[in-house]
Amino acid sequence: GVFDGHGPDGHLVAWNVRDYLPLKLVSNCQALRHATKDSIEALHDRDAESSREAISRMNGEQKKAKEEGCSVKESRVFAFWKESILSAYEMMDKELGVKPNIDSFRSGTTALTLIKQGQEVILGNVGDSRAV
């Protein structure tokens, strides 16, 4: 990932995201994979309702991707990774909001996340960070 901090504590936000977002992404990915295979149980620190919402969003993304001409496999892969990345970003944002030594109200970071799995490359971004 690439993280570009801004604001008085932007460097601290970027460092925290750099250090913890990959762990959250892996943990959330494993929990989501388990939830979609076996049942709709709590994802990571989420409750069952949040898990149902995540599965519902994934199903909506799969349908949208299929309508745009993606194969069933491509639409599943896209929906899975999109939900994994969004959930990891949301968890990271919540954690930064309660850290007493970081002013996350006036500071933040853009984020670019790249995941390569086999021949697939998935990009996620927050803010004005982009990759081509």
Side-chain angles (χ1 to χ4, degrees), residues 9 12-21 24 91-107:
D9 292 336
L12 298 175
V13 174
W15 292 343
N16 270 268
V17 173
R18 175 201 64 198
D19 292 344
Y20 297 109
L21 183 68
K24 293 187 180 322
M91 284 189 265
M92 192 75 241
D93 189 48
K94 286 179 185 174
E95 282 188 24
L96 286 167
V98 297
K99 287 193 178 266
N101 62 329
I102 297 177
D103 178 3
S104 62
F105 182 73
R106 295 185 307 146
S107 303

Side-chain angles (χ1 to χ4, degrees), residues 44-92:
H44 193 55
D45 292 329
R46 295 174 164 204
D47 59 15
E49 185 64 28
S50 294
S51 297
R52 283 190 286 277
E53 290 171 11
I55 301 301
S56 177
R57 281 195 309 249
M58 280 183 56
N59 290 336
E61 287 300 328
Q62 284 181 19
K63 182 179 178 187
K64 185 177 170 183
K66 280 191 258 183
E67 289 170 357
E68 293 174 359
C70 295
S71 70
V72 172
K73 181 182 176 193
E74 289 171 331
S75 65
R76 279 192 203 128
V77 169
F78 174 77
F80 175 82
W81 281 110
K82 181 175 181 180
E83 181 57 34
S84 295
I85 291 169
L86 287 174
S87 295
Y89 282 174
E90 288 172 5
M91 284 189 265
M92 192 75 241

Side-chain angles (χ1 to χ4, degrees), residues 25-40:
L25 183 57
V26 168
S27 174
N28 189 56
C29 176
Q30 291 169 343
L32 188 58
R33 186 171 285 135
H34 174 74
T36 56
K37 282 184 179 176
D38 299 334
S39 63
I40 300 175

